[in-house]
Amino acid sequence: MPAAYEKYLVPVVFRPFAEDLAARAAALHPGRVLELAAGTGVLTSGLLAAAPSAEVTATDLNEAMVALGSTRAPGAVWRQADAQRLPFPDGGFDLVVCQFGVMFFPDRVEAYAEARRVLAPGGRFLFNTWGPLGTHAFQAALQAGLERAFPLDPPRFFPTVPHGYADPAVVAADLAAAGFTVEDEQELTLQGRAESTADLATGYLTGTPVRAAVEERGDGTAVRATVIEEMTARLGPGPVTAPMTSYVFRAAA
Protein backbone atom coordinates (compact mmCIF):
# COMPACT_ATOMS: atom_id res chain seq x y z
CA MET A 1 0.00 0.00 0.00
CA PRO A 2 2.74 2.60 0.80
CA ALA A 3 4.40 1.98 -2.59
CA ALA A 4 1.15 2.57 -4.50
CA TYR A 5 0.41 5.62 -2.38
CA GLU A 6 3.86 7.04 -3.12
CA LYS A 7 3.74 6.28 -6.87
CA TYR A 8 0.22 7.32 -7.81
CA LEU A 9 -1.07 9.73 -5.16
CA VAL A 10 1.85 11.66 -3.68
CA PRO A 11 2.85 13.55 -6.87
CA VAL A 12 -0.73 14.49 -7.74
CA VAL A 13 -2.53 15.00 -4.44
CA PHE A 14 0.02 15.59 -1.70
CA ARG A 15 3.13 17.24 -3.16
CA PRO A 16 1.45 20.56 -4.04
CA PHE A 17 0.32 21.00 -0.44
CA ALA A 18 3.63 19.74 0.94
CA GLU A 19 5.45 22.49 -0.95
CA ASP A 20 3.07 25.07 0.51
CA LEU A 21 3.36 23.75 4.06
CA ALA A 22 7.15 23.48 3.87
CA ALA A 23 7.39 27.12 2.77
CA ARG A 24 5.16 28.18 5.67
CA ALA A 25 7.30 26.16 8.06
CA ALA A 26 10.55 27.64 6.74
CA ALA A 27 9.17 31.17 7.23
CA LEU A 28 9.04 30.44 10.98
CA HIS A 29 12.81 29.75 11.00
CA PRO A 30 12.56 26.58 13.08
CA GLY A 31 15.53 24.87 14.66
CA ARG A 32 13.95 21.62 15.83
CA VAL A 33 11.00 20.26 13.86
CA LEU A 34 8.76 17.29 14.68
CA GLU A 35 6.56 15.92 11.91
CA LEU A 36 3.53 13.80 12.79
CA ALA A 37 1.93 11.26 10.43
CA ALA A 38 4.78 11.76 7.97
CA GLY A 39 3.69 8.96 5.63
CA THR A 40 6.24 8.33 2.90
CA GLY A 41 8.00 11.64 3.49
CA VAL A 42 6.77 14.10 0.89
CA LEU A 43 6.52 16.92 3.44
CA THR A 44 9.67 15.70 5.17
CA SER A 45 11.63 16.15 1.95
CA GLY A 46 10.11 19.59 1.51
CA LEU A 47 11.09 20.61 5.04
CA LEU A 48 14.67 19.45 4.57
CA ALA A 49 14.94 21.49 1.37
CA ALA A 50 13.13 24.61 2.59
CA ALA A 51 14.75 24.74 6.06
CA PRO A 52 18.14 23.06 5.59
CA SER A 53 19.48 24.19 8.97
CA ALA A 54 16.59 22.63 10.90
CA GLU A 55 16.82 19.27 12.65
CA VAL A 56 13.80 17.28 11.41
CA THR A 57 12.34 14.29 13.23
CA ALA A 58 9.67 12.47 11.20
CA THR A 59 7.21 10.06 12.78
CA ASP A 60 4.36 7.84 11.66
CA LEU A 61 2.28 5.16 13.36
CA ASN A 62 2.62 2.82 10.37
CA GLU A 63 5.90 0.88 10.32
CA ALA A 64 5.78 0.36 6.54
CA MET A 65 5.39 4.10 5.98
CA VAL A 66 8.39 4.80 8.24
CA ALA A 67 10.46 2.21 6.39
CA LEU A 68 9.69 3.73 2.98
CA GLY A 69 9.82 7.32 4.17
CA SER A 70 13.28 6.88 5.66
CA THR A 71 14.58 5.94 2.21
CA ARG A 72 12.82 8.88 0.55
CA ALA A 73 13.95 11.53 3.07
CA PRO A 74 17.09 10.13 4.75
CA GLY A 75 18.12 13.54 6.04
CA ALA A 76 15.52 13.30 8.81
CA VAL A 77 15.51 11.15 11.91
CA TRP A 78 12.65 8.66 11.51
CA ARG A 79 10.71 7.10 14.40
CA GLN A 80 7.58 5.01 14.62
CA ALA A 81 5.34 6.90 17.03
CA ASP A 82 1.73 7.35 18.09
CA ALA A 83 0.77 11.03 17.92
CA GLN A 84 -1.30 10.58 21.09
CA ARG A 85 1.67 9.19 23.05
CA LEU A 86 4.80 10.82 21.69
CA PRO A 87 8.12 9.33 22.87
CA PHE A 88 9.77 12.73 23.31
CA PRO A 89 10.46 14.94 26.33
CA ASP A 90 8.59 18.13 27.13
CA GLY A 91 9.60 21.23 25.19
CA GLY A 92 11.97 19.49 22.80
CA PHE A 93 10.78 21.13 19.56
CA ASP A 94 9.95 24.63 18.38
CA LEU A 95 7.71 23.50 15.50
CA VAL A 96 5.35 20.55 15.08
CA VAL A 97 3.99 19.97 11.58
CA CYS A 98 1.46 17.54 10.15
CA GLN A 99 0.19 17.19 6.59
CA PHE A 100 -3.31 15.68 6.26
CA GLY A 101 -2.81 13.49 9.31
CA VAL A 102 -4.94 15.04 12.06
CA MET A 103 -8.13 13.54 10.60
CA PHE A 104 -6.78 10.06 11.46
CA PHE A 105 -6.14 10.72 15.16
CA PRO A 106 -8.74 8.82 17.26
CA ASP A 107 -8.65 11.57 19.93
CA ARG A 108 -7.61 14.83 18.30
CA VAL A 109 -7.61 16.89 21.48
CA GLU A 110 -5.31 14.36 23.13
CA ALA A 111 -2.99 14.40 20.10
CA TYR A 112 -2.97 18.20 20.07
CA ALA A 113 -2.19 18.24 23.80
CA GLU A 114 0.77 15.95 23.10
CA ALA A 115 1.96 18.29 20.35
CA ARG A 116 1.74 21.18 22.79
CA ARG A 117 3.62 19.21 25.46
CA VAL A 118 6.63 18.60 23.21
CA LEU A 119 6.72 22.22 22.02
CA ALA A 120 8.90 24.79 23.75
CA PRO A 121 7.05 27.88 25.05
CA GLY A 122 5.99 29.96 22.07
CA GLY A 123 6.44 27.04 19.69
CA ARG A 124 4.09 26.59 16.74
CA PHE A 125 1.86 23.80 15.49
CA LEU A 126 1.34 23.96 11.71
CA PHE A 127 -0.93 21.56 9.84
CA ASN A 128 -3.57 21.14 7.17
CA THR A 129 -6.78 19.20 6.77
CA TRP A 130 -9.03 18.57 3.76
CA GLY A 131 -12.13 20.61 3.08
CA PRO A 132 -15.50 18.98 2.30
CA LEU A 133 -15.45 16.06 -0.14
CA GLY A 134 -17.17 18.12 -2.84
CA THR A 135 -14.24 20.55 -2.90
CA HIS A 136 -11.75 17.83 -3.89
CA ALA A 137 -12.54 16.90 -7.51
CA PHE A 138 -10.41 13.74 -7.61
CA GLN A 139 -11.75 12.24 -4.40
CA ALA A 140 -15.34 13.24 -5.13
CA ALA A 141 -15.07 11.44 -8.48
CA LEU A 142 -13.56 8.40 -6.78
CA GLN A 143 -16.39 8.26 -4.25
CA ALA A 144 -18.95 8.53 -7.04
CA GLY A 145 -17.28 5.55 -8.72
CA LEU A 146 -17.37 3.53 -5.50
CA GLU A 147 -21.05 4.34 -5.02
CA ARG A 148 -21.73 3.17 -8.55
CA ALA A 149 -19.76 -0.04 -7.99
CA PHE A 150 -21.43 -0.71 -4.61
CA PRO A 151 -24.83 0.99 -4.71
CA LEU A 152 -26.07 -0.71 -1.54
CA ASP A 153 -22.96 -0.51 0.64
CA PRO A 154 -20.23 1.78 -0.75
CA PRO A 155 -17.01 2.25 1.21
CA ARG A 156 -17.31 5.45 3.26
CA PHE A 157 -13.66 6.02 4.11
CA PHE A 158 -13.21 9.24 2.14
CA PRO A 159 -16.37 11.06 3.28
CA THR A 160 -15.90 10.06 6.93
CA VAL A 161 -12.12 10.20 7.49
CA PRO A 162 -10.08 12.40 5.09
CA HIS A 163 -13.07 14.73 4.63
CA GLY A 164 -14.69 14.11 7.99
CA TYR A 165 -12.91 16.97 9.78
CA ALA A 166 -13.79 19.75 7.38
CA ASP A 167 -15.33 22.35 9.71
CA PRO A 168 -12.69 24.96 10.66
CA ALA A 169 -14.71 25.96 13.73
CA VAL A 170 -14.50 22.40 15.07
CA VAL A 171 -10.76 22.27 14.42
CA ALA A 172 -10.23 25.60 16.18
CA ALA A 173 -12.29 24.45 19.17
CA ASP A 174 -10.22 21.26 19.46
CA LEU A 175 -7.00 23.29 19.38
CA ALA A 176 -8.30 25.60 22.09
CA ALA A 177 -9.31 22.61 24.21
CA ALA A 178 -5.71 21.40 24.01
CA GLY A 179 -4.37 24.77 25.14
CA PHE A 180 -3.36 26.24 21.78
CA THR A 181 -4.05 29.75 20.51
CA VAL A 182 -5.00 29.79 16.83
CA GLU A 183 -2.87 32.41 15.09
CA ASP A 184 -3.94 31.82 11.52
CA GLU A 185 -6.44 29.74 9.55
CA GLN A 186 -6.65 29.87 5.76
CA GLU A 187 -8.62 28.10 3.07
CA LEU A 188 -6.26 26.99 0.34
CA THR A 189 -7.19 25.54 -3.07
CA LEU A 190 -4.46 24.08 -5.25
CA GLN A 191 -4.55 22.21 -8.54
CA GLY A 192 -3.73 18.53 -8.80
CA ARG A 193 -2.35 17.27 -12.12
CA ALA A 194 -2.63 13.58 -13.04
CA GLU A 195 -1.24 12.00 -16.18
CA SER A 196 -3.99 9.38 -16.24
CA THR A 197 -7.34 8.98 -14.53
CA ALA A 198 -6.73 5.22 -14.58
CA ASP A 199 -3.48 5.63 -12.64
CA LEU A 200 -5.20 7.90 -10.15
CA ALA A 201 -7.96 5.33 -9.61
CA THR A 202 -5.33 2.62 -9.15
CA GLY A 203 -3.62 4.74 -6.51
CA TYR A 204 -6.80 5.26 -4.54
CA LEU A 205 -7.91 1.63 -4.83
CA THR A 206 -4.55 0.11 -3.89
CA GLY A 207 -2.74 2.80 -1.89
CA THR A 208 -5.38 3.78 0.68
CA PRO A 209 -7.60 1.97 3.23
CA VAL A 210 -10.26 1.74 0.50
CA ARG A 211 -8.27 -1.25 -0.75
CA ALA A 212 -9.36 -3.46 2.16
CA ALA A 213 -12.98 -2.29 1.90
CA VAL A 214 -13.10 -3.17 -1.81
CA GLU A 215 -11.50 -6.57 -1.25
CA GLU A 216 -14.11 -7.36 1.41
CA ARG A 217 -16.99 -6.49 -0.90
CA GLY A 218 -16.26 -8.21 -4.20
CA ASP A 219 -14.40 -8.48 -7.49
CA GLY A 220 -11.57 -5.94 -7.44
CA THR A 221 -11.04 -6.05 -11.20
CA ALA A 222 -14.66 -5.23 -11.94
CA VAL A 223 -14.69 -2.52 -9.28
CA ARG A 224 -11.58 -0.91 -10.74
CA ALA A 225 -13.17 -0.86 -14.21
CA THR A 226 -16.35 0.76 -12.88
CA VAL A 227 -14.45 3.34 -10.84
CA ILE A 228 -12.22 4.25 -13.78
CA GLU A 229 -15.25 4.61 -16.05
CA GLU A 230 -17.01 6.92 -13.59
CA MET A 231 -13.91 8.98 -12.84
CA THR A 232 -13.18 9.32 -16.56
CA ALA A 233 -16.73 10.48 -17.22
CA ARG A 234 -16.28 13.20 -14.61
CA LEU A 235 -12.65 14.17 -15.14
CA GLY A 236 -11.64 12.96 -18.60
CA PRO A 237 -9.08 10.23 -19.36
CA GLY A 238 -6.09 12.44 -18.65
CA PRO A 239 -3.93 14.32 -18.43
CA VAL A 240 -6.36 15.99 -16.05
CA THR A 241 -6.11 19.01 -13.77
CA ALA A 242 -8.60 19.55 -10.94
CA PRO A 243 -8.97 21.67 -7.78
CA MET A 244 -8.40 20.40 -4.25
CA THR A 245 -9.31 22.48 -1.19
CA SER A 246 -7.73 22.35 2.26
CA TYR A 247 -7.59 24.40 5.45
CA VAL A 248 -4.21 25.41 6.89
CA PHE A 249 -3.85 26.15 10.61
CA ARG A 250 -1.06 27.72 12.61
CA ALA A 251 -1.40 27.62 16.39
CA ALA A 252 0.88 28.83 19.18
CA ALA A 253 1.71 26.87 22.32
Side-chain angles (χ1 to χ4, degrees), residues 14 18 27 30 66 80 83 96 100 125 128 130 137 140 146 149 152 177 183 187-188 208 220 222:
F14 296 102
V66 170
Q80 182 184 14
V96 174
F100 299 125
F125 182 26
N128 54 17
W130 290 121
L146 291 170
L152 299 180
E183 292 185 324
E187 180 178 305
L188 176 67
T208 74

Side-chain angles (χ1 to χ4, degrees), residues 122-144:
R124 300 313 203 281
F125 182 26
L126 179 67
F127 66 93
N128 54 17
T129 182
W130 290 121
L133 179 61
T135 66
H136 194 303
F138 293 140
Q139 289 168 192
L142 168 77
Q143 186 62 29

Side-chain angles (χ1 to χ4, degrees), residues 17 20-21 24 98-100 102-103 126-133 135 162-163 165-169 171-172 184-189 244-250:
F17 292 96
D20 171 80
L21 210 60
R24 293 172 190 261
C98 185
Q99 165 150 284
F100 299 125
V102 298
M103 306 88 73
L126 179 67
F127 66 93
N128 54 17
T129 182
W130 290 121
L133 179 61
T135 66
H163 297 280
Y165 196 45
D167 184 341
V171 179
D184 189 46
E185 178 262 307
Q186 295 181 15
E187 180 178 305
L188 176 67
T189 299
M244 310 173 290
T245 296
S246 72
Y247 301 113
V248 186
F249 288 85
R250 187 182 74 241

Side-chain angles (χ1 to χ4, degrees), residues 8 145-146 149-150 196-203 205-206 214 219-232:
Y8 295 112
L146 291 170
F150 301 105
S196 161
T197 302
D199 282 353
L200 194 60
T202 299
L205 294 174
T206 62
V214 168
D219 183 351
T221 301
V223 171
R224 181 176 181 274
T226 299
V227 169
I228 289 173
E229 185 176 302
E230 183 65 27
M231 292 184 72
T232 299

